[in-house]
Amino acid sequence: MEEKALEVYDVIRSIRDPEKPNTLEELDVVTEKCVEVRELGEDEYLIVIKFSPTVPHCSLATLIGLCLQVKLQRCLPFKHKLEIYISEGTHSTEEDINKQINDKERVAAAMENPNLREIVEQCVIEPDD
Amino acid sequence: MKEGLALVQRLNAHPDSRCWFVSWSPTGTLLASCGGDKAIRIWGREGDSWICKSVLQDGHQRTVRKVAWSPCGNYLASASFDATTCIWKKKNDGFESLTVLEGHENEVKCVAWAPSGNLLATCSRDKSVWVWEVDEEDEYECVTVVNSHTQDVKHIVWHPTQELLASASYDNNVCIYKEEDDDWECRATLQGHTSTVWSLAFDANGQRLASCSDDRTVKIWKEFPSEGGQGDLSWKCVCTLSGYHGRTVYDVSWCRLTGALATACGDDAVRVFKEDETADPAQPVFSLSAQVKAHSQDVNCVAWNPKEAGLLAACSDDGEITIWRFQEED
């Protein structure tokens, strides 16, 4: 399970913050401990991520949530179900943000918005190395 | 014969994309599907297999979320994330775009034809429900915009026999609308779900309504004679199916022929529930009759064939459509 959690963390640590020139790892928005993996069944895992946005700004938190959703959907090689939450106590409208981030219809529609899509793509692009 | 779901066919319907919705034509001979590839596909039977009869492309600029057949079967309506609803008319072996309905501020989540064929309803993330009137010259006009929900409206369905509309929302409620003096109004708000309500289905005679939710339950609601006279309708939750679904229940379909209830779930499974015939109709009891891991990803939609008992279609984020036969115990 720890191995799987590390695999997940490796995907999200390098996501760029939408506003600052740093990665989510550098800003402590995500940490190794914030990823929890549970076995769901045969070769399928439930991934629960609790991230801590740096500022209590609603749209920024949902944007980070969106980046996490998109990159994991694209990059995780094993079968999984995903739940992404803001870690408790970091935001006043936590429930609202969590609901939006985990609504896959809202996520899909957001990614069809050219402006939002562009921002997300810039955040999830793999660093050249 | 053992009771259960047997796979009839698996179709790679919307390759490299997700299939959001499937809908049977009124005669049950055609199946329309739509998805993230912005296309609508029409499927028909050839011998024992289902094949793609036509592809409706270029009607929308974004995901096509739902499609609905008119009661006469000659028209198709499609609801899209591009904020429009397209009306297609049957022509030769395909469909041709007749008109595009605009007005919603953002994604249209659902479209549905009233049984009369003269009215159409749409709903959107803009929190509104629009009712449109169609005249003999195929002209569409919006007659009401209702704002009863406080959030994204996910689904709408018409009552099978009365001019009554029901809507499901991200605000966790279900609203029931009736026409009063040329205006559509919300006459009842059904509260009970603890998260987004994704879909609705009336039973054959419209006396009961099933709703399914992100709270992983399915609720059955029944209309009761209103306390305190005319006006408002009184709907109560008479049954809650909980503990069966591992994740969000995205769709529910109530078979008009057999009364069986089918669900589409985010745990990749399709489930069929049957009603216990001995139970009190005011306190129905449903038991799980069959369950199958239908797809490799979330199942988004499930639909009973309106003419062929036991035939069920489902579709998924994996881009596939599956067709099943529900076999009852002999």
Side-chain angles (χ1 to χ4, degrees), chain B residues 172-184:
Chain B
N172 307 352
N173 295 335
V174 171
C175 281
I176 310 266
Y177 312 83
K178 252 189 162 162
E179 197 182 0
E180 179 82 39
D181 293 330
D182 283 339
D183 245 331
W184 287 81

Side-chain angles (χ1 to χ4, degrees), chain B residues 20 38 42 57 64 67 76-77 111 138 154 156 159 187-188 205 218 221 231 253 259 264 288 295 297:
Chain B
W20 277 111
K38 308 170 194 171
I42 313 291
Q57 215 119 46
V64 185
V67 280
L76 206 56
V111 60
D138 280 346
K154 299 292 199 187
I156 33 156
H159 190 280
R187 302 287 278 290
N205 53 27
V218 171
W221 311 81
S253 179
L288 182 64
H295 289 272
Q297 290 178 52

Side-chain angles (χ1 to χ4, degrees), chain A residues 91-123:
Chain A
H91 213 287
S92 52
T93 58
E94 239 162 71
E95 268 177 48
D96 297 341
I97 295 172
N98 288 334
K99 194 171 185 178
Q100 212 179 326
I101 296 173
N102 290 293
D103 181 321
K104 72 178 188 190
E105 190 185 63
R106 296 287 281 257
V107 170
M111 284 305 281
E112 289 191 340
N113 172 319
N115 298 328
L116 267 178
R117 194 194 174 110
E118 182 54 36
I119 299 174
V120 173
E121 295 293 0
Q122 287 305 311
C123 291

Side-chain angles (χ1 to χ4, degrees), chain B residues 118-120 131-135 139-143 179 182:
Chain B
N118 298 326
L119 295 174
L120 194 70
V131 181
W132 309 74
E133 226 167 55
V134 197
D135 67 21
E139 297 278 313
Y140 291 75
E141 193 194 331
C142 175
V143 293
E179 197 182 0
D182 283 339

